[in-house]
Amino acid sequence: MGIVVTIFMALILFLSIPNPVEKRLKKYQDKIFAITFLMGAWNAFWYGAQHFDEFWGIAALISGFAMMITSLPNISLDKSPSYLSTPLGWLQTKINSLPQGFQELMLLMLLGCACIYGYTLIQLNLA
């Protein structure tokens, strides 16, 4: 699961910063943001909560919240049922009302998490 989470962290970073890859990912961005939000929730609330006393549990909490905070404002809720669009819309407004620079801080934290995850995965696969 770490490989998949790391890939989606990288995809969010590619979609958040103007670059050539962003243009290719634009047509899939709604799905990428939704999947990343769900993966962030799993990372934070399932793995992170169960392994809170370990390094990777704390890393899962931090990266999970960063994934959710960076992806949620970009999810389109137009076609969502009201039981989803109401609470998620409320969360979107709260995230969008955070101080200037907070989203950039979350992207920086996400970059750090992606580097740590990526480095570890490379080390595990080379050993």
Side-chain angles (χ1 to χ4, degrees):
M1 189 67 178
I3 294 170
V4 177
V5 169
T6 306
I7 289 169
F8 275 88
M9 281 189 230
L11 288 173
I12 286 295
L13 291 168
F14 281 129
L15 282 169
S16 301
I17 301 166
N19 61 67
V21 178
E22 176 199 20
K23 293 174 183 154
R24 292 181 183 252
L25 294 174
K26 276 290 190 197
K27 60 182 168 183
Y28 306 110
Q29 75 178 6
D30 292 335
K31 291 176 185 157
I32 291 171
F33 285 127
I35 292 170
T36 303
F37 179 79
L38 293 173
M39 291 180 85
W42 176 85
N43 216 17
F45 298 122
W46 188 81
Y47 188 85
Q50 287 187 4
H51 300 91
F52 191 69
D53 57 343
E54 301 171 9
F55 171 79
W56 287 111
I58 300 298
L61 278 171
I62 293 169
S63 64
F65 281 118
M67 289 169 75
M68 289 188 300
I69 289 171
T70 55
S71 62
L72 183 61
N74 299 301
I75 296 174
S76 175
L77 299 174
D78 297 336
K79 298 177 184 175
S80 300
S82 63
Y83 63 87
L84 282 178
S85 63
T86 303
L88 291 179
W90 179 81
L91 277 173
Q92 280 180 336
T93 57
K94 292 297 179 186
I95 291 172
N96 290 333
S97 67
L98 290 170
Q100 180 71 22
F102 186 80
Q103 198 74 346
E104 290 79 9
L105 176 64
M106 287 294 109
L107 287 171
L108 189 61
M109 286 177 60
L110 196 59
L111 175 63
C113 290
C115 289
I116 291 170
Y117 275 57
Y119 176 78
T120 304
L121 289 168
I122 290 169
Q123 291 298 316
L124 288 173
N125 287 314
L126 291 178

